[in-house]
Amino acid sequence: MSLTIKNEGSICLESKQTIILDPKEKVAFTTGDVYLFTHLSTDLLRILADKRRKNLVYLPQMLLKQLQKLVQAGFIRPLNFRKIKCYPYNYPVQISDLWVTAFPSDDGLNGAVSLLLEHEGKALGYTGRFITRGAHKKRIKKWKKAFQTAKLDLLLLDSAALQTSEVFVSNTKRFKRFLTDLSPTDLPALKLSKLAPEEILEYQEIAKQAGRTLLLAPDLAILAKLLFPFDDFTAITSTNLKLAEEKPEKFIMQAEMTKQATVVYNKDSIKDIDVIAADQSESELKEVVHVIAPAQCLSYGEKTLEGIEPLTKAVSFS
C-alpha cells in the first residue's frame, strides 16, 4: 500500500489509516485519524482539553507525566486523558501500517521527541521542534545518528525556530552576562513558567555556578521536584526572602515574589510555549541535514531555508 505525505496545516501521512503529526486544533480531521504529538504546544493542550475527542493520541512519556502533574497540582485545567498511549523510547512500535520509533529530543521545554517512521521499506525522519544549543545536546546527537543509520528516503525538517540574525547568543550566555553586569546591591529576578520546567533546571545550574541560590514560589518548587525528583529546589520562605534582601549577591528570585525592587532578566519575554524554544541559525539546520544525509529533505513551518524546499506538494512512496 502506498504512503502519501501532505502538509495540510499539519503533516498528514495517508496509507491504511491517516496519521497526523502534531495536529493543529483549528484544522479539521476525522475521528478515525491517529494523532502523534512530539512536543508541548497550545494545540496539544486544547485538543486534550476536548472531552468529546475520540481520536487516539500518542504522546512522549515524559510529556504525559508533566501534564498529569500540572493537572494534579491545579496549574492547568483538567484534560481528557482517555485514548492516550505513550511511545516507547528508542524502540519501534506499530501504529496502523507504520513502524514508529521515538527518540528523546530537546525543544527547551520538556519531553520532546523526534520520530523515525518506516513503511514497507521506506524510512522517513520527522524532527519535530528541537534546539541544538539546549541542555540535552546528546539527545540531538543520538537521533541524528539514528536517522543517518536509517538511510532516510525523506527528512521532514522543522524550520519554525529559524532566525536570520548573523550573531546568535544562547540564553545561557545572555543570562551569565546579565549576572556579571549586576551591581552588588542588585537583586536579580526571573520570570518562570510552569509549562517550561527545563528552564528552571537551566537557570538553577547557572545560579549554582555563580554562587547563588535560586528561590522559587512554593508551588513551582513542588512541581519541579515532582518532575525532577533527583534535583533539589529551594522554595521561598520568609527567612530566605529576608536573607536575599540583605545579601542580594547570593540569590536569584522568581519574579514578583518580593516587594523589594529587583532587576528582572527576562521582563520583556513572552512566556508562550509555542515560541519559547531558542532560535537556530540557518547553518545549524543545514548541518543537521548534512549529517543525516537523506535522499530528500523538505522543510515545514512558516520559515524557509535556502536550498531546502518546503513541503507544499504531496509526496508519495509506493
Side-chain angles (χ1 to χ4, degrees):
M1 184 174 290
S2 64
L3 173 67
T4 301
I5 301 99
K6 299 179 180 178
N7 188 349
E8 298 182 343
S10 296
I11 305 297
C12 302
L13 308 179
E14 297 179 354
S15 184
K16 180 180 179 181
Q17 191 172 10
T18 299
I19 294 176
I20 316 296
L21 305 179
D22 293 311
K24 307 296 183 185
E25 183 212 12
K26 295 182 179 180
V27 179
F29 302 113
T30 65
T31 57
D33 298 341
V34 179
Y35 295 167
L36 307 189
F37 282 98
T38 65
H39 63 270
L40 179 62
S41 66
T42 53
D43 289 300
L44 169 61
L45 293 177
R46 289 168 180 163
I47 287 172
L48 292 189
D50 184 1
K51 296 180 180 179
R52 300 169 298 175
R53 173 181 57 82
K54 296 181 180 179
N55 300 79
L56 176 61
V57 172
Y58 278 83
L59 292 177
Q61 185 176 1
M62 285 191 293
L63 179 53
L64 177 59
K65 177 184 176 182
Q66 177 183 338
L67 293 176
Q68 290 171 331
K69 297 298 183 184
L70 286 168
V71 171
Q72 179 184 346
F75 280 111
I76 60 175
R77 59 181 171 171
L79 301 176
N80 175 9
F81 288 117
R82 297 176 180 175
K83 298 198 73 173
I84 289 180
K85 292 185 177 181
C86 290
Y87 308 108
Y89 294 121
N90 307 308
Y91 188 82
V93 60
Q94 187 169 12
I95 303 176
S96 187
D97 56 346
L98 287 174
W99 285 95
V100 180
T101 308
F103 298 96
S105 188
D106 183 16
D107 69 341
L109 297 174
N110 186 42
V113 295
S114 295
L115 300 178
L116 173 63
L117 307 140
E118 296 172 286
H119 179 269
E120 297 182 356
K122 300 294 183 180
L124 288 70
Y126 177 76
T127 65
R129 187 172 67 181
F130 71 100
I131 57 176
T132 53
R133 306 192 191 195
H136 302 291
K137 298 180 182 67
K138 290 183 179 179
R139 294 180 184 177
I140 306 298
K141 185 177 181 180
K142 285 183 178 180
W143 64 250
K144 285 197 299 183
K145 180 64 176 178
F147 282 10
Q148 179 191 59
T149 302
K151 300 187 182 301
L152 298 183
D153 296 281
L154 174 64
L155 174 65
L156 296 171
L157 178 70
D158 185 2
S159 63
L162 177 66
Q163 56 96 42
T164 56
S165 173
E166 294 182 1
V167 180
F168 177 84
V169 180
S170 69
N171 181 60
T172 299
K173 289 184 178 179
R174 286 199 300 267
F175 185 53
K176 288 181 177 179
R177 187 180 300 167
F178 165 78
L179 293 178
T180 302
D181 293 341
L182 293 171
S183 73
T185 58
D186 289 334
L187 179 57
L190 287 164
K191 285 185 177 180
L192 297 170
S193 170
K194 59 186 178 294
L195 295 174
E198 289 278 359
E199 276 199 331
I200 300 173
L201 288 178
E202 178 185 6
Y203 286 127
Q204 175 156 284
E205 182 59 31
I206 297 172
K208 288 180 180 179
Q209 293 173 5
R212 295 174 181 264
T213 299
L214 176 60
L215 300 181
L216 301 173
D219 55 356
L220 195 59
I222 291 173
L223 176 65
K225 187 64 176 177
L226 288 172
L227 293 171
F228 309 110
F230 299 108
D231 292 276
D232 293 318
F233 304 92
T234 304
I236 293 173
T237 65
S238 58
T239 301
N240 60 31
L241 178 58
K242 182 179 180 181
L243 191 59
E245 293 169 348
E246 294 173 351
K247 298 183 177 181
E249 74 280 4
K250 295 292 185 181
F251 293 89
I252 300 172
M253 299 284 301
Q254 182 175 336
E256 301 173 353
M257 296 303 297
T258 176
K259 294 181 180 179
Q260 179 169 318
T262 57
V263 182
V264 182
Y265 163 66
N266 50 356
K267 63 181 179 180
D268 297 323
S269 67
I270 301 173
K271 283 297 175 187
D272 184 333
I273 59 175
D274 294 319
V275 298
I276 199 170
D279 290 333
Q280 300 194 78
S281 67
E282 185 168 303
S283 61
E284 285 178 313
L285 291 178
K286 287 186 176 180
E287 188 273 340
V288 170
V289 179
H290 175 74
V291 169
I292 295 172
Q296 182 181 11
C297 178
L298 296 173
S299 67
Y300 62 95
E302 297 178 359
K303 301 177 183 179
T304 57
L305 287 82
E306 183 181 354
I308 298 178
E309 292 293 324
L311 177 59
T312 56
K313 299 180 182 179
V315 177
S316 295
F317 293 101
S318 299

